Every structure is written in structure tokens, then in C-alpha cells.
Amino acid sequence: MRYNQNVSTLILLIFLLITVLQKESNGQEPKVIEGTGGNAWSPATLKLKTGDVVEFKVTGSRHGVAFNNGDHAKQVFEFLDGFELKQHDFPGTIRSTHANGTGINKDDNGGLLIRAKVKTIPDGVSELEYFCSLHGNNMSGKIELEKGAVPVPKVIEGTGGNAWSPATLKLKTGDVVEFKVTGSTHGVAFNNSDHAIQVFEFLDGFELKQHNFSGTIRSTHANGTGINKDNNGGLLIRAKVKAIPDGVSELNYFCSLHGNNMSGKIELEKGAVPVPKVIEGTGGNAWSPATLKLKTGDVVEFKVTGSTHGVAFNNGDHAIQVFEFLDGFELKQHNFSGTIRSTHANGTGINKDNNGGLLIRAKVKAIPDGVSELNYFCSLHGNDMSGKIVLEKDTAHADHTIHGVSDDGNQSWIVNGIPAANLDVKAGQIIEWRVREGFHGLRFTSWARDRKHIAVIKDGDIGFMHLLGRNPTASKVENDVMLRVRIDDADVGTEIPFSSLVHPSMKGKLTVIADSN
């Protein structure tokens, strides 16, 4: 009888864990829009802000979801799971998970149509209207978009006095800047647009083009022209600093109408983006260096400097586990077999003039147990042009160990016998979570926001889900490591909350303090 009780308890725990995992995405609980058996969306109207995660899920009947303006949907959402939005047989801008007149039931893909995160809310896009691909406009709904958690932009005004205000502005990685006309007529032109394009992710406004300028100058408007404050609300550009390349300390710009008499500059402050280590695909059809050592937090670039090349990883699954891909071409199977994933199809590649020669820029986000190297080769020249990345585990001791403890039915996080409700940490310190007694797993409660402050050194003995910011399950094995991390780019005062995967009352928080040394 005791055996049956233990089995029942284990089944219940597994069910609860599955429920928790299904409810969450990207470190937070998704908001769910159900396609019901009554052929309606529930709720039919839902408010979302930047950072929110939404799921479209079939709970009855058969449904698919179609957005009236698929272009807006793709601008707003980062799609995390489910079916791809395609035009199928719909007209105009409609993009849908399924063809007109079709859909899925709740048993197909668990009923999941889409799981998506609101990555940005472009100006002028206040709502997304959608309908069922099977039941049409008789089953419609809308998402109301609330401007929210986008970083507050730093604004450079083009004034009525034909000057930029401020004329000099300091930006660091992650900052958002707006060039905005508040008087007269202006456009913005960058002296070295190659650098501007490397530095910025352009979120809104006018596209940078050469127009009738020469050399590397790219501008929102042609030479001698611009807009006033009533055109596009005066917005010339809204952009986010995605990276600061080595050797680029400032961006000089001027007005496309008033020229160098109205000039300014952006001073770029290096932050937490490491200097990339570069692997060159050379004119001699070799990788240089052919072997490179990387550790967690390092950034690597594969770059073509001669001939034509692409990069293919022998084990693409491992590459995807190890790297956070920052720029370049997507790894795909193309026409390779097995686990090979490549930037380009077999027998093809790019030269140094295509995308500036950049194949991949990626950051080492984690080094899974058992993965000590990544072997790769050229997608054009094959194994005659091969190389490898040697992955170096960070074996440094933990500065703080947080234990999960159960005592007489009470669960808590403790450090050296003291509750870890608020643990002070410093940038560069190593923190680990371990099981001491009881059944424990770790989750970060604001992972989408806080993952930039954390470099994962060890996934843990029970694994770690990097997309969602949590262990996939819990452990009751004494001394099991749940996770080991290093505190990276974090300002003093930054708070990183965490909690238990299975005990909601178990909450803790890391607070970054100044290093007095």
C-alpha cells in the first residue's frame, strides 16, 4: 500500500510540474487566448505591453489564427513556438497559421497555435485584429497594444534654430535614441553609415539610404531635403544600440538639409559587450585560427576575408545550446544531412563584400556538460577547410552557495544557515544553487529582463532551460547543482529575483552592490 501511495505522490508531482512548465514561457506566465468549442476567442479582446507573452490555444472545435495585418504582427511579436505565420491562400496582408478553411483541434500540437512575445510596439500600431482561419470574421478578436517597457529614449532634437540639441550625446549598449524634428526642416545623415548600421538596431522612422550622397554617407533624406515636425510626428529615427564594435567610439552626423553647419556626434561607451574573437575564412581556403578557445561570455565572429565561404557545424544542436546568436546568417540544415547546421547550403557561401563578410556573431551563453568542443567546416570547401572551438569550463569556486532546504515541512533558501531572501552580490561573483534537503528546482521570475545580467557557467545536474530561465524539473538528490552563474553586466542596485519551481513561497533576490576593493 505504501508503494502505491508513493507512486501516486510521484505522479501528482510530475503533473504539477508539467502544469507549471506549460503555463510559463520566457520566464513569465503567458496570457492565453482560447479558441473555444463555441467558435469564439476567449477573451476576444486582450491588452498586451512590451515583454508580455501570449498564447493562442485551441480548447474546443477546430481553429487557426489569422492576422489582418501580418506585417504588423511580425513587427510586434517574437515568435517562440507554434505554427509559422504564412500567407497561405489569403489575400493582401493577411498572414495565418493555417490555410483558409482549415485549422487544428486541441489534440494537435497540444492545441497550441502560437506562443509569442511582444518585442516592440511600433508607432501607429495600437492594435492587432485577427480572426479564425476556419470560421472567418464570425470568430474575430483583437489585441490592444499598450506602450510600456521599452527603454525611455534619449532624444536628439532638430530645432528651429537649425541645431541638434544636444549636439553631443553619450550612449551605451541597450540605450534607445530618437532623432526628432521639433522646428524647421531636417533629416539626419551619418558620415560613416557602415558603423551606424553595426551599432544600431533600427526600430522606427525613415530608412538610411545613400540617396544622392557620396561615399559611406547614408541619410534619412536626400541632400538638401528633410521633414518638419508635422511629418511622421517629426520622427526621423528611433534606434537601439545593439553593439559597439572595436574601434568605433563615436558616430558623427549632420543635417541632410543644412549640412555640416548643423552637425553633431554620438559618443559610444563600451559596456558589457566583449570584444569579439575573430575566426577568418581566408583567401587561402583556411580558417585562421583553425582552433580557438572560448569560455562562457566570450563573443566570436566568423568572418570571410578572402575567397567564398560559409560555416557549418558538425553538431548543430550543440552549437545552438552553446551560442546566443547576435548577428549574421541563421544556422539551418539546408541540404546537409544529420545534425549538421550551416549558414549556407552545401557548395555555397559568401565573399567579403556580402554582409561585410560576416557569417556569424555569437556569444557563448553556456557550456553544457559533455560538450568540450565544436567542430566546423566550410560549406563550400568541406572538410578540407575545417576547424574547432575548444570550450573551457569556468571552474572557479562559487562566491555564494544558496541551498534549497526543507525543514519540518517548511521550505526556504539559505546561505551559510541564513535565509537568502535578499543576498548582496558583486559584479563578477559566482553564485550557485544546490539541493541540501527536500525537492527543489530554480526559476528566475523576471528572466526576460534579467538574463543579460547573468552568464550561465554550469547548467546544473538537472539541466537548465535557457529560453525560459528555469530548471526543467526539480531534484531531491542532496548536493545536486541547480545552476551556477556569474554576475555580469549589472549596475549597482540591480535586483534579480528568483523562486522555487515547486514551492511558490520560496522566494529570494540577488541585489548587486558596489565592489569596495
Side-chain angles (χ1 to χ4, degrees):
M1 180 63 69
R2 180 173 179 80
Y3 173 79
N4 289 337
Q5 288 177 337
N6 289 339
V7 171
S8 298
T9 301
L10 179 60
I11 291 171
L12 177 60
L13 286 171
I14 291 171
F15 174 78
L16 291 172
L17 280 172
I18 291 172
T19 302
V20 169
L21 294 175
Q22 287 178 334
K23 284 175 61 181
E24 298 177 352
S25 178
N26 212 37
Q28 68 180 100
E29 184 174 346
K31 299 183 178 184
V32 180
I33 299 173
E34 295 183 7
T36 70
N39 296 337
W41 299 108
S42 178
T45 300
L46 180 68
K47 292 183 178 181
L48 295 178
K49 63 182 183 298
T50 306
D52 282 346
V53 175
V54 64
E55 282 185 355
F56 285 82
K57 201 159 189 179
V58 178
T59 58
S61 189
R62 297 184 71 86
H63 308 295
V65 61
F67 289 90
N68 297 52
N69 192 319
D71 294 335
H72 285 173
K74 289 179 179 180
Q75 289 171 35
V76 167
F77 287 129
E78 173 188 0
F79 293 95
L80 306 175
D81 203 358
F83 294 88
E84 184 181 355
L85 285 187
K86 298 180 180 179
Q87 186 162 18
H88 294 292
D89 50 350
F90 286 101
T93 61
I94 296 172
R95 298 296 183 271
S96 175
T97 57
H98 295 81
N100 194 352
T102 67
I104 63 168
N105 62 28
K106 64 181 180 180
D107 298 321
D108 189 340
N109 198 38
L112 181 66
L113 292 167
I114 285 176
R115 182 181 298 118
K117 179 181 176 183
V118 180
K119 62 182 177 182
T120 188
I121 302 176
D123 283 349
V125 181
S126 59
E127 60 186 35
L128 297 174
E129 296 183 327
Y130 59 90
F131 59 91
C132 176
S133 57
L134 176 58
H135 299 98
N137 287 319
N138 291 327
M139 182 177 166
S140 61
K142 71 177 176 181
I143 290 170
E144 295 179 348
L145 299 167
E146 301 179 306
K147 290 279 188 181
V150 178
V152 177
K154 298 183 177 184
V155 180
I156 299 173
E157 296 183 5
T159 70
N162 296 337
W164 299 108
S165 177
T168 300
L169 181 67
K170 292 183 178 180
L171 295 178
K172 62 183 184 297
T173 306
D175 283 344
V176 174
V177 64
E178 283 183 355
F179 285 83
K180 201 160 188 178
V181 179
T182 57
S184 189
T185 300
H186 307 295
V188 62
F190 288 91
N191 297 56
N192 190 321
S193 62
D194 294 337
H195 287 171
I197 291 167
Q198 290 171 33
V199 167
F200 287 130
E201 173 189 358
F202 293 95
L203 306 175
D204 203 355
F206 293 88
E207 184 181 356
L208 285 187
K209 298 180 180 179
Q210 187 163 22
H211 294 292
N212 51 349
F213 287 100
S214 60
T216 61
I217 297 172
R218 298 291 184 278
S219 175
T220 57
H221 295 82
N223 194 352
T225 68
I227 64 167
N228 61 29
K229 64 181 180 180
D230 298 322
N231 187 329
N232 198 39
L235 181 66
L236 293 167
I237 284 175
R238 181 182 298 117
K240 182 178 180 180
V241 180
K242 63 182 178 182
I244 301 175
D246 285 342
V248 181
S249 59
E250 62 185 32
L251 297 174
N252 293 284
Y253 59 90
F254 60 91
C255 176
S256 56
L257 176 57
H258 299 99
N260 288 319
N261 291 325
M262 183 179 166
S263 60
K265 72 177 176 181
I266 290 170
E267 295 179 347
L268 300 166
E269 299 180 303
K270 281 281 190 183
V273 178
V275 176
K277 299 184 177 184
V278 180
I279 299 173
E280 297 183 4
T282 70
N285 296 337
W287 298 109
S288 178
T291 300
L292 181 67
K293 293 182 178 180
L294 295 178
K295 63 181 184 299
T296 305
D298 282 345
V299 173
V300 64
E301 285 184 356
F302 285 83
K303 201 160 188 178
V304 179
T305 57
S307 189
T308 299
H309 308 296
V311 61
F313 288 91
N314 296 56
N315 192 319
D317 294 337
H318 285 173
I320 290 167
Q321 290 172 34
V322 167
F323 287 129
E324 174 187 356
F325 294 94
L326 306 174
D327 202 355
F329 294 89
E330 184 181 356
L331 285 187
K332 298 180 180 179
Q333 186 164 22
H334 294 291
N335 51 350
F336 287 101
S337 61
T339 61
I340 296 172
R341 297 295 182 273
S342 175
T343 57
H344 294 81
N346 194 352
T348 68
I350 63 167
N351 61 28
K352 63 182 180 180
D353 298 321
N354 187 328
N355 198 40
L358 181 66
L359 293 167
I360 285 175
R361 181 183 297 118
K363 181 178 180 180
V364 180
K365 63 182 179 183
I367 301 176
D369 287 339
V371 181
S372 59
E373 62 185 32
L374 297 174
N375 293 283
Y376 59 90
F377 60 91
C378 176
S379 56
L380 175 58
H381 299 99
N383 287 319
D384 291 333
M385 182 178 166
S386 61
K388 72 177 176 182
I389 291 171
V390 177
L391 299 167
E392 298 182 304
K393 284 276 192 182
D394 190 338
T395 57
H397 73 284
D399 295 284
H400 300 284
T401 298
I402 301 172
H403 285 99
V405 174
S406 295
D407 185 16
D408 293 331
N410 297 314
Q411 292 81 29
S412 61
W413 300 109
I414 65 168
V415 177
N416 297 326
I418 300 172
N422 191 346
L423 177 65
D424 290 339
V425 298
K426 299 174 183 177
Q429 286 190 329
I430 295 173
I431 318 298
E432 69 177 8
W433 287 259
R434 286 181 180 267
V435 177
R436 175 170 290 176
E437 181 183 1
F439 192 49
H440 300 291
L442 173 69
R443 67 183 290 269
F444 290 94
T445 51
S446 297
W447 181 245
R449 180 194 70 194
D450 293 335
R451 63 185 304 173
K452 64 184 178 183
H453 303 312
I454 295 170
V456 175
I457 295 170
K458 178 179 173 60
D459 271 2
D461 296 313
I462 50 179
F464 187 73
M465 302 170 75
H466 291 265
L467 178 63
L468 305 181
R470 62 168 183 255
N471 295 129
T473 185
S475 172
K476 62 179 181 180
V477 178
E478 184 177 356
N479 216 36
D480 256 6
V481 175
M482 288 176 266
L483 189 67
R484 185 177 297 131
V485 305
R486 183 176 62 244
I487 305 301
D488 267 3
D489 176 33
D491 295 330
V492 172
T494 296
E495 295 182 346
I496 305 171
F498 59 91
S499 64
S500 167
L501 197 63
V502 290
H503 306 297
S505 62
M506 277 180 70
K507 297 179 180 179
K509 180 172 64 177
L510 307 179
T511 301
V512 179
I513 62 173
D515 191 343
S516 58
N517 294 329

